[in-house]
């Protein structure tokens, strides 16, 4: 029997949906998720999805685990999760926000409280909202949608990023309520959250998995297994992603030389940084800076 290859989801295809608005290849909003053509085979997410069920019911499997979404429920699906067996009731209505992983991390970089709380949603993707929280999410959705359509606004992208960050704070408050009032945090959740907090503080100088394991008083093997089970990604992938994002920001938004950036992020030399960046981004640092 030939093993089926799980296809990657495609954010760009969603641009063709009716009633959707989008910002470049980074952000898409739709109020007609019930009309979207859904794949019949398993798909691995390569973007962030945040959805609010307004009416009806949604059923799907996330990493083989059955999920049921009812009115007032919000779902947060992160990258690398596998979504399958999606279906919804005929009367389903909902709001949906999709964004690229790079755009999401660009917004929340250096905001550890938001990023660490969002990690909780990887293991708890569905949460029930209170009525005031539902109304708040709807308001954010409409304002962000208006700003996406306001193409004459010189600060449009910055405004959208600011609005999304504010929305993330409110969503994090919901996650905080659920995490600390409704469900006890598991040991694995705690290790994963502490690992990410350590990475956020130290990735500029430290990229060794063994170092992070030592700070957590566990073995590198235990750390690797726990992080992989919690996030479908290895510790090295998380560390490399934070380093890559910082490199992108420094190359685009600073006048520092590539040599100075290599020193700041503790690379052995400029050549090593170049190889790392090309491996993760696909182009050299100098070409990325000019693009």
């Amino acid at each position: 029997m030939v093993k089926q290859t799980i296809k990657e989801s495609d954010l760009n295809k969603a641009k063709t949906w009716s009633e959707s608005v989008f910002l470049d290849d980074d952000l898409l909003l739709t109020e007609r998720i019930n009309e979207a053509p859904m794949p019949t085979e398993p798909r691995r997410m390569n973007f962030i999805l945040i959805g609010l069920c307004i009416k009806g019911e949604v059923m799907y499997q996330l990493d083989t685990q059955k999920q049921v979404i009812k009115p007032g429920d919000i779902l947060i699906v992160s990258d690398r999760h596998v979504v399958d067996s999606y279906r919804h009731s005929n009367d389903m209505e909902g709001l949906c926000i999709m964004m690229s992983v790079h755009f999401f991390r660009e917004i929340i970089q250096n905001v550890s409280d938001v990023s660490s709380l969002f990690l909780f949603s990887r293991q708890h993707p569905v949460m029930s909202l209170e009525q005031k929280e539902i109304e708040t999410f709807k308001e954010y959705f409409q304002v962000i949608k208006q700003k996406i359509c306001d193409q004459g606004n010189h600060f449009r992208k910055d405004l959208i990023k600011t609005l999304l960050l504010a929305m993330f704070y409110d969503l994090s408050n919901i996650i905080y309520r659920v995490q600390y009032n409704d469900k006890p945090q598991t040991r694995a959740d705690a290790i994963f959250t502490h690992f990410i907090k350590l990475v956020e503080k130290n990735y500029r100088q430290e990229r060794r998995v063994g170092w992070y394991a030592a700070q957590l008083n566990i073995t590198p093997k235990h750390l690797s297994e726990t992080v992989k089970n919690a996030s479908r990604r290895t510790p090295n992938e998380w560390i490399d992603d934070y380093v890559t994002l910082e490199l992108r920001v420094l190359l685009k938004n600073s006048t520092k030389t590539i040599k100075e950036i290599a020193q700041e992020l503790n690379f052995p030399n400029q050549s090593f940084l170049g190889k790392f960046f090309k491996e993760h981004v696909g182009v050299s640092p100098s070409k990325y800076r000019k693009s």
Side-chain angles (χ1 to χ4, degrees):
M1 181 177 178
V2 179
K3 186 177 180 180
Q4 182 182 14
T5 301
I6 298 175
K7 297 181 179 179
E8 295 278 332
S9 55
D10 190 347
L11 182 57
N12 281 323
K13 284 186 179 179
K15 291 181 181 180
T16 63
W17 296 350
S18 63
E19 302 297 326
S20 65
V21 297
F22 54 87
L23 177 70
D24 303 326
D25 296 328
D26 290 319
L27 178 67
L28 181 143
L29 276 65
T30 180
E31 298 179 69
R32 299 289 182 86
I33 190 65
N34 55 310
E35 298 178 5
M38 294 298 175
T40 56
E41 69 279 358
R43 289 295 177 100
R44 190 182 303 280
M45 299 289 290
N46 58 15
F47 55 84
I48 310 294
L49 185 150
I50 303 171
L52 173 67
C53 182
I54 304 295
K55 184 180 178 183
E57 192 173 77
V58 178
M59 295 137 283
Y60 67 101
Q61 286 188 359
L62 187 67
D63 300 327
T64 73
Q65 299 298 310
K66 183 179 178 181
Q67 306 288 338
V68 179
I69 316 298
K70 297 181 179 180
D73 287 350
I74 194 165
L75 65 150
I76 302 174
V77 183
S78 304
D79 59 307
R80 308 313 302 163
H81 286 294
V82 176
V83 176
D84 190 17
S85 304
Y86 176 91
R87 63 188 188 279
H88 58 74
S89 61
N90 293 331
D91 63 340
M92 191 275 281
E93 295 178 9
L95 306 178
C96 185
I97 298 176
M98 307 176 194
M99 70 188 70
S100 68
V101 176
H102 170 70
F103 193 59
F104 173 75
R105 292 193 185 136
E106 191 176 88
I107 293 169
I108 68 168
Q109 82 173 96
N110 300 325
V111 188
S112 59
D113 287 343
V114 170
S115 57
S116 60
L117 282 170
F118 254 82
L119 295 173
F120 178 77
S121 67
R122 287 184 170 270
Q123 298 289 63
H124 307 84
V126 179
M127 292 169 286
S128 296
L129 304 191
E130 298 173 355
Q131 188 58 42
K132 63 179 180 180
E133 295 167 340
I134 294 172
E135 296 305 319
T136 297
F137 183 84
K138 288 180 178 180
E139 290 170 1
Y140 277 121
F141 185 96
Q142 294 302 330
V143 174
I144 293 169
K145 180 181 177 181
Q146 290 171 11
K147 292 305 175 185
I148 291 176
C149 296
D150 186 12
Q151 298 190 23
N153 192 319
H154 179 73
F155 301 101
R156 181 175 68 128
K157 191 167 187 177
D158 290 327
L159 279 168
I160 291 168
K161 289 168 70 174
T162 301
L163 287 166
L164 283 168
L165 180 58
M167 184 186 76
F168 291 157
Y169 270 114
D170 272 321
L171 287 177
S172 294
N173 189 56
I174 296 168
I175 295 170
Y176 185 90
R177 169 174 60 77
V178 173
Q179 181 177 6
Y180 290 100
N181 294 339
D182 296 348
K183 298 178 182 178
Q185 188 180 41
T186 66
R187 171 64 175 160
D189 287 338
I191 290 175
F192 181 45
T193 300
H194 290 158
F195 166 70
I196 293 298
K197 287 183 176 180
L198 279 172
V199 173
E200 289 175 338
K201 292 179 180 178
N202 299 283
Y203 71 88
R204 293 175 182 82
Q205 298 299 319
E206 188 56 69
R207 291 188 287 277
R208 294 174 298 157
V209 173
W211 183 89
Y212 288 97
Q215 308 310 304
L216 295 167
N217 294 316
I218 59 177
T219 66
K221 181 180 179 181
H222 184 38
L223 176 61
S224 296
E225 290 174 347
T226 302
V227 171
K228 187 70 181 290
N229 288 336
S231 68
R232 277 64 182 177
R233 309 175 79 201
T234 67
N236 275 323
E237 287 175 325
W238 278 105
I239 296 165
D240 288 351
D241 274 0
Y242 274 91
V243 174
T244 302
L245 176 58
E246 183 70 6
L247 286 172
R248 286 176 182 265
V249 171
L250 289 172
L251 288 167
K252 286 290 188 181
N253 302 315
S254 80
T255 57
K256 294 178 180 178
T257 66
I258 295 175
K259 182 179 180 180
E260 289 172 334
I261 293 173
Q263 293 173 342
E264 182 173 333
L265 268 67
N266 203 28
F267 281 92
N269 51 56
Q270 181 176 332
S271 176
F272 196 93
L273 181 151
K275 291 178 181 177
F276 175 92
F277 191 81
K278 190 167 186 179
E279 178 183 346
H280 289 83
V281 181
V283 297
S284 67
S286 57
K287 188 172 182 179
Y288 179 82
R289 172 167 265 177
K290 292 176 183 177
S291 65

